[in-house]
Amino acid sequence: MIRLILVSVFLILFLIFSIPIMLVERIIKKFNRSAADISCLRIVQWAFKVILLITGTKLTVIGEDRIPKDQAVLYIPNHQSYFDIVITYSRCPGLTGYISKDFMEKIPLLSNWMKHLYCLFLNRSDMKAGLKMILTGIEYINNGISICIFPEGTRNPHPEDGLLPFKEGSLKMAEKTGCPIIPIAITGSQDIWEKHMPFMRKCRVIVEYGEPIYLNQLEKEQRKFSGAYTKSKIEEMLKNHESMTA
């Protein structure tokens, strides 16, 4: 329980003390947008790394060198824990916006940071808003900002039973921009909190980055079902993780 309390206190203090930081970042952004963007990214990554330190999470990271450093990408991870966002965002080499549920936009301060970091908010009940979000994501990628989306659509409460179906529309941004897809396999993040709420416990989490997938290089049938193809690559990595956690 003490880890949960410490994480909660740290988050509250970070959000409160970050108010003047955000004001400064807005001023900097008027003169040097790139510097402000990178500064915001590193500040939040630092906060996420502190949270992982408090929880006692030990990361085993595989294949991080597979991420292209000279262009924006579309990250596609599996999703089993709230901490998937904390873990993956703390590792992003460059600007990355996450696709989030629209209720997050209503949370004060947190939503401000998310907007600073190019996160997009998805309203699943509004197709027009969803299309607008995809178009914005395409614009971001074309401007060098990577996007991360969890194609299962929600946290998978039983990852041991396999991945949830992938939403094919989640790869539209890669299809329209030609950017590489980076599949990410995460094992063990549920052990931080979800498996034994409200307690947070020390654990080991494996994060593996797969080889970049370029849709225009796939065979016709693979392109037609690119979500299923990407899912299969993540499943292969997750299968390999089993021998590492045995």
Side-chain angles (χ1 to χ4, degrees):
M1 182 66 79
I2 190 168
R3 287 193 179 92
L4 176 61
I5 294 171
L6 289 174
V7 167
S8 301
V9 170
F10 174 78
L11 273 175
I12 292 170
L13 291 176
F14 173 79
L15 291 174
I16 292 173
F17 286 106
S18 68
I19 294 174
I21 295 175
M22 280 192 286
L23 294 175
V24 172
E25 294 290 356
R26 285 181 183 176
I27 296 171
I28 295 174
K29 187 168 283 192
K30 291 181 179 180
F31 301 96
N32 191 332
R33 188 180 191 91
S34 177
D37 285 343
I38 294 299
S39 176
C40 286
L41 171 67
R42 300 309 178 206
I43 288 169
V44 173
Q45 286 184 320
W46 169 81
F48 282 171
K49 287 174 182 176
V50 171
I51 289 172
L52 293 174
L53 181 65
I54 294 172
T55 61
T57 303
K58 302 296 182 184
L59 293 181
T60 296
V61 182
I62 304 169
E64 201 166 26
D65 58 334
R66 294 168 180 161
I67 304 173
K69 303 299 189 294
D70 57 348
Q71 64 181 127
V73 305
L74 180 66
Y75 294 106
I76 299 292
N78 61 308
H79 196 18
Q80 56 182 253
S81 168
Y82 289 115
F83 281 89
D84 295 334
I85 299 167
V86 177
I87 291 166
T88 54
Y89 198 81
S90 69
R91 312 292 310 183
C92 291
L95 285 176
T96 304
Y98 276 55
I99 307 298
S100 172
K101 295 176 182 177
D102 59 342
F103 79 87
M104 296 291 289
E105 194 172 11
K106 300 178 177 65
I107 302 176
L109 298 181
L110 179 60
S111 62
N112 294 92
W113 272 109
M114 293 176 73
K115 290 172 183 175
H116 268 295
L117 295 165
Y118 299 95
C119 291
L120 298 171
F121 302 93
L122 175 62
N123 182 346
R124 291 181 184 151
S125 62
D126 188 338
M127 290 186 64
K128 186 176 180 181
L131 177 58
K132 184 178 179 181
M133 185 215 69
I134 290 174
L135 292 174
T136 303
I138 290 171
E139 180 184 346
Y140 284 175
I141 291 173
N142 285 332
N143 287 324
I145 301 167
S146 297
I147 295 292
C148 180
I149 184 168
F150 295 95
E152 291 173 281
T154 188
R155 287 176 297 116
N156 183 356
H158 303 291
E160 66 278 4
D161 295 333
L163 301 180
L164 298 176
F166 274 27
K167 301 182 185 305
E168 290 288 336
S170 59
L171 303 185
K172 281 291 182 185
M173 285 179 264
E175 180 184 318
K176 297 298 183 182
T177 62
C179 78
I181 295 169
I182 304 297
I184 305 176
I186 306 170
T187 295
S189 57
Q190 265 193 340
D191 293 328
I192 300 174
W193 190 42
E194 279 84 357
K195 279 190 176 181
H196 32 71
M197 289 182 180
F199 302 100
M200 289 183 178
R201 293 178 179 166
K202 290 182 178 181
C203 70
R204 178 193 181 198
V205 177
I206 303 172
V207 182
E208 182 170 1
Y209 298 85
E211 294 288 349
I213 298 171
Y214 294 88
L215 295 183
N216 60 3
Q217 296 179 6
L218 299 181
E219 296 178 4
K220 183 178 179 180
E221 196 67 13
Q222 292 172 334
R223 285 199 306 272
K224 185 177 179 181
F225 300 102
S226 56
Y229 178 81
T230 304
K231 180 183 176 184
S232 70
K233 294 300 179 181
I234 295 175
E235 287 172 334
E236 288 175 13
M237 290 187 284
L238 292 173
K239 185 68 176 176
N240 290 335
H241 293 180
E242 291 178 9
S243 61
M244 300 172 64
T245 57

